[in-house]
Amino acid sequence: RFGFVVSKKVSPRSVVRNLLRRRTSEWVRKKLLFFPNGLAVIFLFEKGAELLSRRALYKEMENMCERAGLFKH
């Protein structure tokens, strides 16, 4: 299970917040096989996340998951 939290502090515009959620869920769909079964993850976005390009966002998420040890070995 994956959850995505993008508060109004990140961006007051719902279009921007929903774009972050859509991009993140797309990345999770592509990487789903790399996560073990039964895992619950919540992505909490901070201010500045809306400024990242898609490639930079994906790279940051990949690095974060690797540091947290979320990927299967």
Side-chain angles (χ1 to χ4, degrees):
R1 290 188 290 181
F2 293 88
F4 312 103
V5 179
V6 188
S7 72
K8 285 187 179 181
K9 290 182 180 180
V10 172
S11 175
R13 298 180 55 212
S14 61
V15 174
V16 174
R17 294 192 310 269
N18 290 331
L19 178 65
L20 278 172
R21 285 188 194 103
R22 284 194 309 272
R23 285 184 175 177
T24 307
S25 62
E26 176 188 352
W27 180 84
V28 167
R29 253 182 274 129
K30 289 180 180 179
K31 300 287 184 179
L32 198 56
L33 294 175
F34 296 105
F35 290 101
N37 292 334
L39 190 67
V41 180
I42 297 177
F43 290 100
L44 177 65
F45 292 91
E46 295 181 351
K47 192 157 183 68
E50 76 280 7
L51 302 174
L52 294 174
S53 67
R54 182 182 302 215
R55 182 173 286 163
L57 178 66
Y58 289 173
K59 187 172 183 164
E60 184 63 33
M61 290 175 60
E62 181 124 8
N63 290 339
M64 191 174 18
C65 288
E66 284 178 6
R67 286 191 310 259
L70 299 178
F71 290 135
K72 288 188 219 177
H73 291 53

